[in-house]
Amino acid sequence: MSLLRTRRRSLPLLAAAVVGTTAVLLPLAAGHADPTSTANPGDAGRLMLVLDSSGSMSDPASGGTTKIEAAKSALHEVVDGLPADAEVGMRVYGAKVFSRSDAGACTDSQRVVDLGSDNRADLDSAIDAYTPYGETPIGYALQQADADLGGEGPRSIVLVSDGEPTCPPDPCQVARQINKDGGNVRIDVVGLDVDGKAEAALRCIADKGNGTYYDADSADDLSAALETLATRAVRPYQPSGEPVTGSADPTSAPTLAPGSYVDQIGGIETTTGTLHYKVERSIPGSSITVAATILTPYYVGRKHRQDEWDRIDLALSTTDGEACDTADPADVRSMDATALTVTVDAGDCPDADELVARVTRTGGADFTTPLELVVAEEPPVLDATTLPEGVSGAVAWKAPPKGPDAGSVTGGSSFAESTPISPGTYRGTIVPGEVQSFDVEVGWGQQLAATMTIPDPSGPLAAELSQQGSPFGLAVYSPYRADAVAVSDGAPPHSSTIYPTGGGQVGAVTAPVTYRNREVVGDPLRAAATAGGYTIVLSLADSRARTSYEVPFVLRVGVTGDVVAAPEYDLAAAEPSESPSSESASSSPTEEPATDGPAATAESDAEDSDVPVGLLVIGGALLVVVGVGGWLVNRRIRGS
């Protein structure tokens, strides 16, 4: 475990295990957000289903059924698979007034089920009562659905329609208006057996509503699309951390102690494209790391163009302008990466008491997106020369052993909700636009390797992959939220790879974890400089998908190498002015030391190493929650 000093509320759940007279704070489990955090990534999103009840829904659909029958069957499946805590409501339009010439035809929309989490029976009853009848006032229905959802938190509308709007207002302009001020409402659209003008109108709604458009030509297509969109809507990514507002002027920048923070950053055409923050050093000679992350435009939900680019730069300096470190990666396309993450440290400014972090978003369009920051501080070690030397050059590829077959698994919807796993073989499925994250403990002296294998597809799936070209990605991030995928000899490609005609494999390996990796050249090698929770992220970014499809995968994870003693830290330098152990002990006065799991393992490792038991051990498994409201799970929750 690395010794990190950070604010308790910004870390994963912690246990206060009393050792001697000192409380030792240890992570209970990687991937679980601190419930005291200002933004709770575990909160379910709110979803309004908006359903077309116009007369044309009685027309035949492909597959030998009517459109309304296909919609009812699909909607019942969706309701059955919703998480218990998901807030969902239902609104219909065109259900009461028969003709446009009749009064009230263009305001014919009713909320048939109020937004709530204990209303599944009501939803099923409303679906059974759902019948074709009148006109198509889509714009008015969207306005009312937006009002139904309220004005706070992540909110989604899933619109199902089989035709073009027949009433004002223009629904495309309504979607634009709902989100014109950066509103957090996503409008996804399923077009049921439509083409021509109707399809163009529905696609415009999804585009202006920062959502996805799916074609559905049959009951099966509709079921797959609704499953994807509804599940993503009720399990959204929420940025996690203490709210902070960066400044355009470094002299007025807010001061950040170690912890996790969330802000908003603009694009190249905005006035908020560069933000400044001050970072305090509280331990003489400590190592300070700052990470900043946004998602690529595809995962933000903007435009879904496969060639859209974005970029974020990060610089750390002293208050008088002396450069400490910079990170300026190349521009990244949406199809090539899930997240844009940069990490810097203050290694070249070891004596500065206060530093300035400058974050610049130099890509993207004129829209803002949440920015997540993490600040970590680690005390100096007593004698770094006694520790193993850092790695240099390419890392030898060590394919993860097949290991035990752990069965099916579903990754978390964000870094804060990552699924903890052990080395082994796992099976799951992934759909377009989905990100799944997993946490794996890696000790000092160990290294992590992982592969994601997509089997050769057949049937309809083969046609989807052949037509679309599907970039599957596998990434690995360190406890400091740095890209930890090392250049390796003989490994599968470690970046996103396009499979235009069949299956394949992506893989990644880290360098062996050693403290002195921070001294070497190469960011991925330097990333493997602390033990703790490493996060594996799987993604499927298919911006051209017209339908939803599900791809099976096999995730193989290996952690190799013997665990070695942790570095011995300079406790005198790390002695705080106020004892954090007192606060921790008083907050959990009766809690017993853990007897198993990551906390117990970490405590055992500390006892077997040269680290005194009086250390305040915080956050070897420090998780940095990354990205923006757009990391949304696109699938029904499956048991692991």
Side-chain angles (χ1 to χ4, degrees):
M1 282 281 176
S2 43
L3 183 67
L4 302 177
R5 183 172 179 183
T6 183
R7 292 183 176 178
R8 187 178 180 213
R9 65 175 176 271
S10 64
L11 290 173
L13 294 174
L14 301 174
V18 179
V19 180
T21 59
T22 305
V24 181
L25 295 186
L26 298 165
L28 284 177
H32 296 280
D34 181 352
T36 63
S37 177
T38 301
N40 185 356
D43 287 346
R46 284 172 284 163
L47 166 66
M48 285 299 296
L49 296 167
V50 179
L51 308 180
D52 188 341
S53 195
S54 63
S56 59
M57 287 292 287
S58 62
D59 293 344
S62 302
T65 187
T66 65
K67 295 177 181 178
I68 193 69
E69 289 169 344
K72 286 184 175 184
S73 175
L75 288 164
H76 278 307
E77 287 190 29
V78 168
V79 170
D80 290 344
L82 288 170
D85 61 345
E87 290 190 74
V88 182
M90 181 172 164
R91 173 173 286 276
V92 298
Y93 61 86
K96 298 290 186 181
V97 182
F98 182 74
S99 170
R100 186 176 179 182
S101 60
D102 296 335
C106 289
T107 55
D108 180 11
S109 178
Q110 298 80 39
R111 187 176 67 236
V112 293
V113 179
D114 291 339
L115 198 68
S117 58
D118 56 352
N119 58 3
R120 301 310 184 251
D122 293 338
L123 287 167
D124 281 325
S125 295
I127 291 167
D128 289 333
Y130 172 35
T131 56
Y133 191 71
E135 291 292 332
T136 315
I138 299 176
Y140 177 79
L142 291 176
Q143 290 175 331
Q144 298 306 301
D146 180 43
D148 295 337
L149 289 168
E152 297 294 334
R155 292 151 288 151
S156 294
I157 296 170
V158 173
L159 169 68
V160 179
S161 180
D162 77 328
E164 59 183 303
T166 58
C167 286
D170 180 351
C172 186
Q173 295 303 315
V174 170
R176 183 199 298 270
Q177 182 70 24
I178 288 173
N179 283 288
K180 71 173 184 139
D181 296 323
N184 194 20
V185 179
R186 181 186 180 104
I187 305 175
D188 294 303
V189 181
V190 182
L192 182 53
D193 204 11
V194 298
D195 56 20
K197 289 184 178 180
E199 179 182 345
L202 296 177
R203 284 187 176 276
C204 184
I205 295 169
D207 180 54
K208 301 306 179 185
N210 301 329
T212 301
Y213 174 81
Y214 281 134
D215 281 329
D217 295 327
S218 66
D220 288 344
D221 288 347
L222 181 58
S223 179
L226 285 175
E227 178 183 343
T228 293
L229 297 174
T231 307
R232 177 176 60 190
V234 298
R235 289 190 64 204
Y237 175 83
Q238 286 182 260
S240 179
E242 181 178 339
V244 66
T245 301
S247 66
D249 182 355
T251 60
S252 58
T255 299
L256 307 184
S260 298
Y261 302 88
V262 64
D263 199 353
Q264 294 280 332
I265 191 166
I268 55 176
E269 299 176 29
T270 69
T271 58
T272 58
T274 297
L275 298 173
H276 296 85
Y277 310 87
K278 292 179 181 177
V279 178
E280 292 180 332
R281 172 179 269 120
S282 61
I283 305 170
S286 65
S287 299
I288 291 179
T289 304
V290 180
T293 309
I294 61 172
L295 293 187
T296 53
Y298 176 80
Y299 288 98
V300 177
R302 293 279 176 167
K303 298 183 181 178
H304 305 292
R305 291 210 317 266
Q306 198 154 351
D307 61 349
E308 190 164 3
W309 299 76
D310 212 333
R311 176 182 173 126
I312 185 170
D313 300 338
L314 177 62
L316 196 63
S317 64
T318 64
T319 53
D320 58 6
E322 178 187 352
C324 304
D325 193 15
T326 60
D328 49 358
D331 295 354
V332 177
R333 290 188 298 175
S334 294
M335 63 177 288
D336 290 332
T338 304
L340 302 181
T341 302
V342 287
T343 306
V344 293
D345 63 66
D348 289 343
C349 304
D351 300 322
D353 293 331
E354 191 172 53
L355 303 160
V356 176
R358 184 184 72 246
V359 185
T360 305
R361 185 163 173 236
T362 57
D366 57 344
F367 62 91
T368 60
T369 186
L371 163 72
E372 289 196 329
L373 300 163
V374 68
V375 178
E377 183 174 21
E378 186 177 4
V381 297
L382 286 176
D383 187 357
T385 62
T386 63
L387 300 174
E389 292 185 359
V391 179
S392 61
V395 174
W397 168 248
K398 293 185 178 181
K402 291 186 177 180
D405 192 331
S408 63
V409 68
T410 299
S413 60
S414 69
F415 275 74
E417 293 292 306
S418 293
T419 300
I421 59 174
S422 301
T425 300
Y426 300 86
R427 304 178 188 279
T429 60
I430 193 167
V431 298
E434 183 173 8
V435 173
Q436 295 191 34
S437 58
F438 306 86
D439 278 325
V440 182
E441 288 294 316
V442 183
W444 294 105
Q446 295 185 311
Q447 67 183 124
L448 169 67
T451 58
M452 176 190 187
T453 303
I454 307 298
D456 290 336
S458 59
L461 177 58
E464 290 290 352
L465 293 177
S466 174
Q467 293 172 10
Q468 309 299 344
S470 305
F472 297 92
L474 185 153
V476 178
Y477 297 97
S478 77
Y480 287 142
R481 199 53 198 96
D483 179 1
V485 178
V487 176
S488 55
D489 294 326
H494 66 262
S495 61
S496 300
T497 302
I498 296 176
Y499 301 99
T501 58
Q505 186 179 81
V506 287
V509 64
T510 70
V513 174
T514 178
Y515 182 89
R516 293 184 65 186
N517 277 341
R518 64 196 68 201
E519 302 171 0
V520 303
V521 176
D523 289 341
L525 299 179
R526 292 165 60 90
T530 185
Y534 281 67
T535 304
I536 299 170
V537 176
L538 308 182
S539 60
L540 170 52
D542 190 348
S543 60
R544 294 175 295 177
R546 291 169 59 89
T547 59
S548 178
Y549 58 90
E550 188 174 55
V551 183
F553 67 81
V554 175
L555 173 64
R556 190 160 288 142
V557 178
V559 177
T560 57
D562 295 329
V563 177
V564 300
E568 187 174 0
Y569 291 92
D570 184 350
L571 298 184
E575 187 68 29
S577 57
E578 294 182 9
S579 173
S581 63
S582 300
E583 176 190 349
S584 304
S586 63
S587 63
S588 303
T590 61
E591 191 161 10
E592 296 294 330
T595 57
D596 56 12
T601 301
E603 185 175 340
S604 175
D605 290 345
E607 291 173 353
D608 293 339
S609 72
D610 294 331
V611 182
V613 295
L615 288 181
L616 176 65
V617 181
I618 304 181
L622 171 65
L623 295 180
V624 181
V625 184
V626 179
V628 297
W631 268 34
L632 308 174
V633 168
N634 299 353
R635 58 196 302 280
R636 177 174 299 171
I637 302 171
R638 294 173 174 80
S640 57

